[in-house]
Amino acid sequence: MVNYYQTKIGVLEIKEENGAITEIGLVKEIKKGEENSLLKQAFIEISEYLDGKRKNFTFNTNPKGTSFQKQVWNALLTIPYGTTCSYKDIAIKINNPKAYRAVGLANNKNPIMIVIPCHRVIGSNGKLVGYAGGLNIKEQLLKLERDNYESI
C-alpha cells in the first residue's frame, strides 16, 4: 500500500507492506494512494519530526536491500539525533574500516529517508555530501536537528 503526503520538505511517498514501512522518499507530486493506520502513523511521526517535536520513530520498518546494505542502515540508526558522522565512522562501526566507499553506496540506496538517518552522514572533511533528497534538504534536516537538539 502506498500514499502521498505534503510535508514541509516536499511530497513524501510512503510505502507499507505486511505491517512495516518499506520506503519513504520524496516525489514531485501527490498521486492518488490508499491510507491505512500505519501509513497515517508514519506521516504523523514524520510531521512531528519536521516540526522539531520528535527525535525517534515508533513504527515498524523493513527496508529492502542486501545484507551489507541492511548492516549499514542499522548502523545509521545508532547515530544520535543532532549529530553527524562520516562514511568511515560507519565503516568502522560495522567492523569493515576499509569499506567506506561501499558504505557511501549503501547510504545512497537507503529506501527510508529521515527515519533511517542517512542525512546525518557527512564527508570525512566535514562537508555535506550526496543526499537523495538533495543537499538543500539534507542541510534543512541537519539544521532542524541542531536547532531542536536540547528542546525535545
Side-chain angles (χ1 to χ4, degrees):
M1 189 171 287
V2 61
N3 207 6
Y4 301 84
Y5 301 92
Q6 183 65 52
T7 71
K8 290 181 173 187
I9 61 168
V11 178
L12 284 184
E13 176 184 65
I14 306 177
K15 293 183 180 179
E16 175 271 339
E17 273 182 41
N18 301 319
I21 298 298
T22 57
E23 291 182 43
I24 298 174
L26 285 167
V27 295
K28 293 189 190 299
E29 62 187 35
I30 290 182
K31 300 175 189 170
K32 184 162 174 47
E34 294 181 87
E35 185 174 66
N36 64 19
S37 60
L38 178 58
L39 291 169
K40 187 172 186 170
Q41 178 188 0
F43 169 66
I44 289 169
E45 290 189 19
I46 289 168
S47 295
E48 290 170 350
Y49 165 86
L50 293 172
D51 286 340
K53 297 176 180 166
R54 174 178 288 278
K55 285 184 183 180
N56 301 301
F57 300 94
T58 64
F59 52 86
N60 291 331
T61 61
N62 187 19
K64 294 179 181 171
T66 67
S67 59
F68 178 80
Q69 288 171 330
K70 289 179 180 185
Q71 187 179 21
V72 169
W73 301 334
N74 283 330
L76 298 179
L77 291 169
T78 68
I79 306 169
Y81 181 96
T83 64
T84 58
C85 68
S86 70
Y87 296 111
K88 187 170 186 169
D89 294 332
I90 297 296
I92 290 167
K93 188 172 281 229
I94 64 169
N95 296 316
N96 200 342
K98 294 185 179 178
Y100 55 91
R101 285 198 175 118
V103 165
L105 292 172
N107 201 53
N108 179 261
K109 298 292 184 194
N110 171 18
I112 305 180
M113 71 179 296
I114 298 172
V115 177
I116 299 175
C118 57
H119 61 277
R120 295 181 189 152
V121 182
I122 60 174
S124 57
N125 60 1
K127 302 240 187 220
L128 296 187
V129 290
Y131 187 65
L135 289 181
N136 60 331
I137 300 292
K138 183 172 187 162
E139 193 169 12
Q140 281 180 21
L141 296 175
L142 291 173
K143 181 180 184 322
L144 169 87
E145 291 187 10
R146 278 193 308 272
D147 291 350
N148 294 294
Y149 183 73
E150 296 295 328
S151 67
I152 300 177

